[in-house]
Amino acid sequence: GNSVTQMEGPVTLSEEAFLTINCTYTATGYPSLFWYVQYPGEGLQLLLKATKADDKGSNKGFEATYRKETTSFHLEKGSVQVSDSAVYFCALSDQSGGYQKVTFGTGTKLQVIP
Amino acid sequence: EAQVTQNPRYLITVTGKKLTVTCSQNMNHEYMSWYRQDPGLGLRQIYYSMNVEVTDKGDVPEGYKVSRKEKRNFPLILESPSPNQTSLYFCASSSPATNEKLFFGSGTQLSVL
């Protein structure tokens, strides 16, 4: 079956530091890849997505590139802010079975300190 | 405003007392699903529904029931809750028009004593 592995947290960074959260996946088909963000006390919301190999998703200064050769979708941001403190989930969506099956990673908590 | 609404937000109950967590979406989405979130395990799918009267098991369906009598509603039913069902629950919806993007509710924190 499909699976998503992301780096364990928590990750603590100082404001304006560079962020990388690693994510690798295993899938039998050609999934779409996502990063979702969960702010404290809220539900998940889509941060960015990529639907095919070499696509780059970007939003709010975050970027991730769909790398089929390394089965990876690492999240990066050049300069984090305190407001970026949240839990980040890597996910893949597979529709090869005739329905949308979404598999999530375990989540990585990011804490940005001033 | 387009949204997925879950109720209640917090729930404390005792073992064996039947409960229902409601989920409603106002976006006319065909696809709805329930997840539970546990530390170190991420989100795991409990049940999903492709449309009215079409439901199927996800990865962790034991101890849960669902129904989809109307397109907008997808309640989660715990007939006889147990302490291992203490968790944070999320409802989500999507449709072909959302290009695989899931819309999530704000969550229900359930504690079973």
Side-chain angles (χ1 to χ4, degrees):
Chain A
N2 298 335
S3 67
V4 175
T5 302
Q6 60 182 107
M7 61 189 288
E8 289 191 27
V11 174
T12 301
L13 296 173
S14 297
E15 206 165 22
E16 299 183 1
F18 185 86
L19 168 71
T20 299
I21 301 178
N22 291 335
C23 171
T24 57
Y25 68 91
T26 302
T28 52
Y30 300 93
S32 296
L33 301 175
F34 302 81
W35 278 99
Y36 282 84
V37 59
Q38 183 183 30
Y39 298 104
E42 298 183 10
L44 282 72
Q45 54 186 276
L46 181 65
L47 179 60
L48 54 84
K49 63 179 277 191
T51 57
K52 61 184 188 297
D54 299 325
D55 268 2
K56 177 187 281 188
S58 61
N59 187 25
K60 299 181 181 179
F62 291 89
E63 293 182 341
T65 301
Y66 190 144
R67 300 284 188 203
K68 195 162 185 279
E69 64 276 13
T70 55
T71 61
S72 64
F73 193 55
H74 305 320
L75 182 68
E76 296 182 335
K77 186 175 186 183
S79 176
V80 294
Q81 306 300 312
V82 173
S83 57
D84 294 326
S85 298
V87 181
Y88 293 82
F89 290 91
C90 186
L92 69 84
S93 175
D94 180 2
Q95 302 202 73
S96 61
Y99 64 96
Q100 183 186 15
K101 171 67 175 173
V102 182
T103 303
F104 287 88
T106 54
T108 301
K109 184 175 183 178
L110 170 65
Q111 182 177 14
V112 181
I113 54 178
Chain B
E1 180 189 353
Q3 59 185 358
V4 178
T5 303
Q6 287 180 235
N7 281 297
R9 193 72 190 270
Y10 302 93
L11 180 58
I12 301 174
T13 190
V14 295
T15 299
K17 186 176 181 181
K18 181 180 178 179
L19 66 91
T20 299
V21 184
T22 64
C23 174
S24 179
Q25 50 93 6
N26 62 0
M27 296 168 280
N28 201 37
H29 287 169
E30 292 84 0
Y31 179 85
M32 298 185 75
S33 55
W34 276 102
Y35 295 86
R36 59 178 289 173
Q37 181 180 3
D38 301 289
L41 297 176
L43 273 78
R44 295 177 292 168
Q45 190 180 60
I46 303 170
Y47 268 93
Y48 66 93
S49 169
M50 296 302 297
N51 215 321
V52 176
E53 302 291 2
V54 181
T55 63
D56 207 346
K57 297 177 181 178
D59 299 316
V60 288
E62 294 78 19
Y64 304 95
K65 284 177 55 177
V66 293
S67 68
R68 187 92 182 273
K69 294 184 170 56
E70 304 166 287
K71 196 172 186 179
R72 62 183 293 126
N73 296 324
F74 190 46
L76 180 69
I77 303 157
L78 284 72
E79 295 270 2
S80 182
S82 62
N84 64 11
Q85 293 178 298
T86 292
S87 186
L88 179 58
Y89 292 86
F90 288 101
C91 179
S93 73
S94 69
S95 79
T98 70
N99 293 320
E100 302 180 275
K101 173 184 175 181
L102 291 178
F103 289 77
F104 282 86
S106 298
T108 296
Q109 179 64 59
L110 172 65
S111 295
V112 183
L113 305 177

